[in-house]
Amino acid sequence: MSGIYIHIPFCKQACHYCDFHFSTNLKYKAGIIEAICDELRFRESEYINTTVQTIYFGGGTPSVLQVDEIEKIIQTVYDHYTVSIHPEITLEANPDDLTIEKIISFSKTRINRLSIGVQSFFEEDLKLMNRAHNAVEATTCIEEAVKYFPNISIDLIYGIPGMSNDRWRENLYQAINLKVPHISSYALTVEENTALKSFIEKGIVPQVEDQVAQEHFNILLDVMEMHGFENYEFSNFGKKGFFSQNNTAYWTGKSYLGIGPSAHSFDGKRRGWNINNNVKYMKAIQAGELPMEIEELTAVDRYNEYIMTGLRTIYGVSLQKVETDYGFHFKEYLLKQAEDYIKDHLLYLDGDVLLVTRKGKFLSDGIASELFMINLA
């Protein structure tokens, strides 16, 4: 089973914290949609003997597209790939796009999961981040969407300057009261070449503080556990039966095709990424070329990626898999590097699976990097 990720590179406006590839100019929308469909046709040979389990529309903001445009892309997948009987088909959407009419229209398509970019239910947070929706839209779109989509995820951001612990709790309880079965929650990060970084450097916005983010993360763990959500991946919490199949496939090393400008692909041994320029992407596809760079992953690369993704999840890192896939010396190295973290109760062994403790969760990426292999090939 594998997945297809489709990058829709358009947004209404630029969020101050975002460094993803997108354009607020919709001039080339029709051409990009056609190019995405053509890329799907070009690459069907990569999935000849593969069943597609998940189709994920990310971006950008896929909900800026019209329903018939989304339908066209989905139909192209069905025309050229073997799709499972019950695939998970997710559409990322922003609250301001989700009018009642559009929700009903999407519900009549093969889309069966919405991932809604709420980020916060508070006006001051939304303004700081330059989100296109307001606090009322954040709530009302979910109230309508749950009537038509039982499988809904929302995104929430913590560690926002000026966000108190109480306000963060209120955000979480608002989501719980709206009865969404999945929440993805991320710490606000300051990326290069973003408006947020510029505002912080100029003193317009206060610094983002790690200590505040860690406090918010611990509140997140407590509240989610109390209300029946499982933290199956560092940033993702789901009720039973509502874990994201698409994201779980990434974290467990399954292959996926990335379609569209800037989209990444992975086949188990190679990683590829499309050019992150809409016009160049479109012109290359029109010329029958695939504008993709490819990197062959060494055993060390693949081991390091497995450590990074495995430690973020409830599935952990299997010592048996490390030995089978990479060799006994990798397993020995991993156990040696993990010794101090186990003594400090940041990691623990459950049988032959290495996992992060609750105490170690917020530090999991840093811990993983200390377990990476650098010199051995």
Side-chain angles (χ1 to χ4, degrees), residues 31-282:
I32 290 291
I33 291 167
E34 196 57 54
I36 283 171
C37 291
D38 284 340
E39 186 185 356
L40 282 164
R41 296 183 193 103
F42 293 167
R43 300 182 66 186
E44 65 178 308
S45 61
E46 296 178 42
Y47 268 19
I48 286 176
N49 299 311
T50 302
T51 299
V52 174
Q53 180 64 48
T54 64
I55 302 169
Y56 191 99
F57 287 87
T61 311
S63 56
V64 301
L65 298 192
Q66 297 305 308
V67 173
D68 63 326
E69 293 170 329
I70 296 285
E71 283 267 55
K72 178 178 180 176
I73 297 170
I74 293 174
Q75 189 58 51
T76 304
V77 174
Y78 273 81
D79 288 345
H80 294 271
Y81 297 80
T82 301
V83 181
S84 69
I85 297 171
H86 300 294
E88 176 190 86
I89 304 182
T90 301
L91 180 82
E92 288 186 354
N94 277 353
D96 48 296
D97 293 324
L98 292 179
T99 61
I100 295 172
E101 293 77 20
K102 204 158 187 181
I103 290 167
I104 293 171
S105 295
F106 281 139
S107 74
K108 293 176 181 176
T109 70
R110 282 170 281 203
I111 296 163
N112 51 31
R113 183 174 184 269
L114 292 182
S115 177
I116 305 175
V118 172
Q119 315 311 357
S120 177
F121 291 102
F122 288 88
E123 205 67 54
E124 51 265 57
D125 300 332
L126 297 171
K127 286 179 179 176
L128 185 147
M129 292 185 283
N130 199 39
R131 297 293 291 169
H133 65 277
N134 59 44
V136 172
E137 287 171 326
T139 299
T140 55
C141 80
I142 298 170
E143 290 173 338
E144 291 302 322
V146 295
K147 297 174 185 175
Y148 299 93
F149 289 89
N151 195 353
I152 287 179
S153 176
I154 69 167
D155 288 354
L156 292 175
I157 292 180
Y158 58 88
I160 298 170
M163 177 186 275
S164 66
N165 290 349
D166 286 343
R167 192 200 299 171
W168 175 232
R169 282 194 189 89
E170 285 186 58
N171 261 316
L172 295 174
Y173 278 103
Q174 177 77 321
I176 290 162
N177 292 337
L178 289 166
K179 295 182 166 52
V180 295
H182 188 281
I183 295 171
S184 296
S185 193
Y186 307 95
L188 182 66
T189 54
V190 183
E191 304 290 353
E192 294 294 329
N193 303 315
T194 60
L196 178 62
K197 182 173 176 62
S198 174
F199 294 156
I200 289 172
E201 287 174 345
K202 292 174 182 176
I204 298 169
V205 173
Q207 287 283 352
V208 173
E209 297 181 20
D210 284 346
Q211 184 181 344
V212 171
Q214 186 162 5
E215 286 178 18
H216 288 179
F217 181 71
N218 288 328
I219 291 168
L220 174 66
L221 292 179
D222 289 340
V223 173
M224 292 292 97
E225 183 179 353
M226 195 184 310
H227 290 88
F229 288 81
E230 186 162 7
N231 182 207
Y232 68 102
E233 190 273 342
F234 178 79
S235 300
N236 287 270
F237 300 78
K239 292 284 183 79
K240 187 175 182 181
F242 288 96
F243 293 2
S244 166
Q245 294 178 39
N246 173 80
N247 293 351
T248 299
Y250 290 165
W251 301 317
T252 53
K254 302 270 176 47
S255 68
Y256 54 89
L257 287 183
I259 305 293
S262 83
H264 283 232
S265 301
F266 177 65
D267 68 4
K269 293 189 176 179
R270 299 185 309 162
R271 190 170 299 287
W273 54 96
N274 287 346
I275 193 168
N276 63 349
N277 179 295
N278 288 357
V279 174
K280 289 181 180 178
Y281 167 82
M282 188 172 61

Side-chain angles (χ1 to χ4, degrees), residues 327-339:
F328 181 71
H329 65 292
F330 279 84
K331 176 182 168 181
E332 278 192 317
Y333 177 84
L334 172 60
L335 286 172
K336 179 67 177 171
Q337 296 298 107
E339 272 181 8

